[in-house]
Amino acid sequence: MGTALARTWLAAGHPTTVWNRTRARAEPLVAEGATLADTAAEAVAATPLIVVCLLDDASVGAALADAELAGRDLVNLTTGSPAQARARAAWAHERGARYLDGGIMAVPPMVGSSPTRGYVFYSGSRALFDDRGRTLAVPLDPRYVGADPGLAALHDVALLSAMTGMFAGISHAFALIRAAGVPARPFAPLLVEWLRAMATSASATAEHLDSGDYTTGVMSNLAMQVAGNATLLRTAAELGVDAELLTPYMAAMQRRLADGHADEGVTGVIDQLLS
C-alpha cells in the first residue's frame, strides 16, 4: 500500500522521499523519481509532510523513535485501534507535530485513478486536513470524520468488521454449494446479487437505532428469523457442513428472542452485544 501511495504522488509531480524497513522494496520508486532515504529519521527530515503506512502501531513508534517531528505534519495510515490512534496523536503532539490518523478503505489496485478508486477516513487535526487536503486527495479520496483522532480507526474497523462477517457468510454459502457438488462459478453472481440487495437493510437498522423503535417497518420479525435458522442448521448438517461461522450470530438472536422481543427485526441483537 505504501508503494502504491508513493507511486501516485510521484506521478502527480510531488517531490517524494521514501523509506522502507526492507530497502529493496523502496528501490523501484527511485526510477520513478523518488529520493530513497537510508533511515526513517532521514525521510522525516526531508519534508514537512510525513505519511506513514506500516504494519502496526508498534512499528510506527519504532520507526519514528529517532525522528525529529517538531514542526512536521504526521499522517498515520497504519491500521490500528481507536485507542492506539489517540495515544499516537498524543505522542505526536508531545513531539511538536500536528497529527492526522487515517483508515484506508482500499486495496492497492484501488489507489490513484482506478475506476474503483477507494478513500481514506481521516480524524484529528482539522487544520492539518484543510492545509494538506489537496495533497492527500491525490491517491485516494479523503473523508474527514472528526477531531477525535480515534474516529478514523473506529470507522475503519467497523467497516472491516462488517466485511469479515460478510466473508463468513460467503464462506458458509460456498461450503454448502461445494458439499452438494454444485459448480461455484454459476452460483457466484447469484450470491453477489443477493448480498447487494440485502445490504440496503443497513439503512433501516440505522433508523431503528436512532429512533429506539425496533419494530416499525419490520418485514421478517425476530421470531420468524429464529425459526428459519433451524432450516439453515438442518441443511448444513445434512450436507456435513460445520455451521460454526453462523452459530454465534444465531445464538445472539435466540437470546434476544428469549428476552421477549419477538416482534422486532434483528436490530436488537446489537443491544445483546453491548450488554
Side-chain angles (χ1 to χ4, degrees):
M1 178 59 75
T3 298
L5 294 170
R7 180 166 286 129
T8 308
W9 276 309
L10 287 166
H14 290 271
T16 305
T17 299
V18 297
W19 173 82
N20 194 298
R21 289 175 297 175
T22 304
R23 183 181 177 89
R25 293 181 180 175
E27 288 175 345
L29 293 170
V30 175
E32 299 176 41
T35 300
L36 180 58
D38 291 327
T39 67
E42 180 183 318
V44 169
T47 176
L49 174 60
I50 300 98
V51 179
V52 183
C53 188
L54 294 171
L55 176 64
D56 54 23
D57 180 72
S59 63
V60 174
L64 299 180
D66 299 325
E68 177 53 64
L69 294 175
R72 298 294 197 271
D73 288 338
L74 178 59
V75 178
N76 183 14
L77 301 184
T78 302
T79 301
S81 73
Q84 286 176 322
R86 294 183 187 109
R88 187 58 61 192
W91 175 91
H93 294 157
E94 289 172 0
R95 287 157 178 78
R98 294 195 299 181
Y99 183 87
L100 271 180
D101 201 78
I104 300 176
M105 306 313 301
V107 293
M110 297 168 68
V111 174
S113 59
S114 165
T116 54
R117 177 180 165 99
Y119 60 90
V120 181
F121 290 121
Y122 287 104
S123 60
S125 171
R126 179 74 208 209
L128 192 167
F129 181 81
D130 290 341
D131 291 346
R132 305 293 188 180
R134 292 181 64 183
T135 301
L136 296 176
V138 170
L140 293 161
D141 294 332
R143 301 188 183 185
Y144 185 78
V145 291
D148 175 355
L151 286 176
L154 176 64
H155 283 72
D156 180 21
V157 172
L159 293 188
L160 292 176
S161 297
M163 177 192 73
T164 299
M166 180 189 71
F167 285 164
I170 289 173
S171 297
H172 184 84
F174 275 117
L176 294 175
I177 293 300
R178 189 177 180 87
V182 174
R185 287 180 181 175
F187 177 73
L190 302 176
L191 182 57
V192 170
E193 181 182 19
W194 177 248
L195 291 178
R196 184 179 292 120
M198 291 300 98
T200 61
S201 68
S203 297
T205 298
E207 290 289 337
H208 287 162
L209 288 171
D210 287 348
S211 69
D213 176 1
Y214 294 178
T215 59
T216 298
V218 170
M219 291 177 285
S220 299
N221 65 30
L222 187 61
M224 179 185 298
Q225 295 201 49
V226 169
N229 286 343
T231 299
L232 305 188
L233 296 174
R234 177 183 293 276
T235 301
E238 290 176 357
L239 291 169
V241 172
D242 192 329
E244 65 177 338
L245 299 180
L246 302 185
T247 50
Y249 181 58
M250 292 179 174
M253 294 171 68
Q254 183 64 56
R255 291 195 301 273
R256 184 70 177 177
L257 179 63
D259 287 343
H261 301 281
D263 292 333
E264 294 179 352
V266 294
T267 301
V269 171
I270 297 167
D271 290 342
Q272 291 292 132
L273 299 178
L274 296 174
S275 63

